Amino acid sequence: MFMTLPLNLRMLLQMLVGLLCAVGASGTDNGTAQPGPPPLLLVSFDGFRADYLKRFPMPNLERLYSQGVLVEQLTNVFITKTFPNHYSLVTGLYAESHGILASNMYDPVTHKSFHVGGNVSDPVWWSEARPLWLTAQDSGYKTATAMWPGSDVAIGNRTASHFLPYNSHVTFQQRLKNVTKWMLGDEKEPPAMFAALYWEEPDRSGHIFGPDNDTAMSQVLKEVDANVGLLVEELTSTGLWGRVNVLVTSDHGMAQCSAERLIRLDDCLHPDNYTLVDLSPVTALIPRQDPEGVFDLLNKCHPHMTVYLKSAIPDRLHYRNNGRTQPIILIAAEGWTIVRNGNQLPRLGDHGYDNSLPSMHPFMAAAGPSFRQGYRVGSLQSVDIYPLMCRLLSVPAQPNNGTLNRARCLLVAETCWEVPVMVALVVGVLLVLTVITGESGLTSDTRPLLYCWGFCPCSHIGLTRSSVFLIIYF
Ligand SMILES: *[C@@H]1O[C@H](CO)[C@@H](O)[C@H](O)[C@H]1NC(C)=O
Ligand SMILES: *[C@@H]1O[C@H](CO)[C@@H](O)[C@H](O)[C@H]1NC(C)=O
Ligand SMILES: *[C@@H]1O[C@H](CO)[C@@H](O)[C@H](O)[C@H]1NC(C)=O
Ligand SMILES: *[C@@H]1O[C@H](CO)[C@@H](O)[C@H](O)[C@H]1NC(C)=O
Ligand SMILES: *[C@@H]1O[C@H](CO)[C@@H](O)[C@H](O)[C@H]1NC(C)=O
Ligand SMILES: *[C@@H]1O[C@H](CO)[C@@H](O)[C@H](O)[C@H]1NC(C)=O
Ligand SMILES: *[C@@H]1O[C@H](CO)[C@@H](O)[C@H](O)[C@H]1NC(C)=O
Ligand SMILES: [Zn+2]
């Protein structure tokens, strides 16, 4: 669209751009006053399904994100299990790229097995990636972890500077007190710049009672919210609140299961025909002989189960390209449970299903000096949290599958104009100008003029990096 504008309109336009810049600059005046980045505390409440936030009152969590940001839904990684997703949060990698593919794994190269609940401390499982607590150490920072999955494993022969060996009996408060102590530091030890804190609820109760049990879930979420209260209280009393960035998130959601939704493998295929590696809701198995015959039998086994030969696993699941992905995987439909035989439902709630299901999605909330206040977005990828945390800590990110671009708007120093707003703004301005001037169309003396945010007076607030350009021809 080309237009010829009178000089006064051009000035008006420049004033408008200036005004927008001024609005964008507010709140960042003191952004560079602090030496070094603020410390970062990452907290995970296992199995916190995104819609719990809407179903149950969570006053402490609401207070936290009203002072910061809320991402209503995180698209997590397949399979939507605890270990794969916790490792994705601290590496930014899909399961196929970090190597923690399930709660039960078999490695055909080393012939080793991995079982959550058993001994998971063999570094061989973890060494395909490097978690943030090690990368931050490489930048000279102290780091601390409290029960975060994998954080008591000597990955590359290293752990965080401080860690707690996994023990489900250690209370939330004890984990928290250790973490704040490490984040404060003392005469001997500098403060930890990055800390990761893990808590087993509401996952544990979600499995036992099922997410649809309002009575049980409202009780457990009350307790989880009380823990958020403890967290804020502890950070406040130690003087850390307001100085550190706090990021509260989770690994996956939870789906309601039922004894009416069982898929029995033995009904379709004799168990002698395969070695079972993992069972439900994603079965991983190795056919003994005749893989195609085994596949055919399983493929017509049940309408609520999808069967893939390894080579046919869809790209979008990011699950195919790893030696630990077994030759055949079966994926139960939402709320269905795969068993070998019988009528016994093992759990009333489960997760692990397709990561495109909203019931599998967790949320993310954050507050602290680097975050905008009272800001909300609908969704984000969980792999984006890693590059976001690297930016918060000014630590170089390892190669990963996330991008900072999608998370940028959460940050106060990265004032961003979302593309739809930008487009609406440009179209609006042009429309108004067209109406005012009453003329539009090509003219011989059109001078294209590029209003790039990088050249306008707002470059100091980071708009250069917003990669949004306002192009106005006149
Ligand atoms: C900016 O930061 C300094 C040092 O932290 C503080 O003393 C000052 O009050 C801050 N100014 C504003 C406007 O927040
Ligand atoms: C767990 O495995 C690691 C590495 O394989 C081994 O060093 C450790 O002793 C084992 N721990 C237990 C309790 O079996
Ligand atoms: C791992 O660390 C321990 C203690 O820090 C050291 O004795 C050992 O040699 C290291 N092993 C390797 C393989 O680097
Ligand atoms: C730190 O955790 C340990 C258990 O690993 C616990 O015994 C101790 O009391 C905790 N420290 C504090 C200050 O709570
Ligand atoms: C829900 O959980 C409660 C325990 O909090 C239990 O007593 C009740 O039977 C459960 N209801 C259903 C429908 O499972
Ligand atoms: C499954 O196992 C049975 C019994 O061991 C055998 O007779 C049959 O051929 C096997 N079928 C396939 C498809 O491997
Ligand atoms: C994910 O990131 C890893 C490391 O950079 C890379 O090797 C892999 O190809 C990426 N996966 C996708 C789907 O881009
Ligand atoms: Zn979990």
Side-chain angles (χ1 to χ4, degrees), residues 83 87 90 100 105 114-116 118-131 133-134 137 143 145-166 324:
F83 274 54
Y87 214 35
V90 293
I100 303 295
M105 293 189 279
F114 175 98
H115 300 287
V116 167
N119 187 354
V120 298
S121 6
D122 190 333
V124 73
W125 299 101
W126 303 89
S127 54
E128 290 179 11
R130 193 186 305 166
W133 58 79
L134 298 184
Q137 274 178 43
T143 58
T145 57
M147 316 282 177
W148 192 275
S151 70
D152 54 2
V153 181
I155 302 165
N157 209 21
R158 290 190 300 163
T159 58
S161 322
H162 311 274
F163 73 98
L164 297 177
Y166 184 71
R324 296 168 191 162

Side-chain angles (χ1 to χ4, degrees), residues 16 20 23 372 375-377 409 415-430 453 468-470:
L16 185 68
L20 289 174
V23 171
R372 290 172 76 174
Y375 187 72
R376 225 177 238 244
V377 295
C409 292
T415 309
C416 77
W417 300 95
E418 286 114 290
V419 173
V421 174
M422 242 9 246
V423 169
L425 199 71
V426 172
V427 169
V429 165
L430 291 181
W453 291 114
V468 174
F469 296 89
L470 174 56

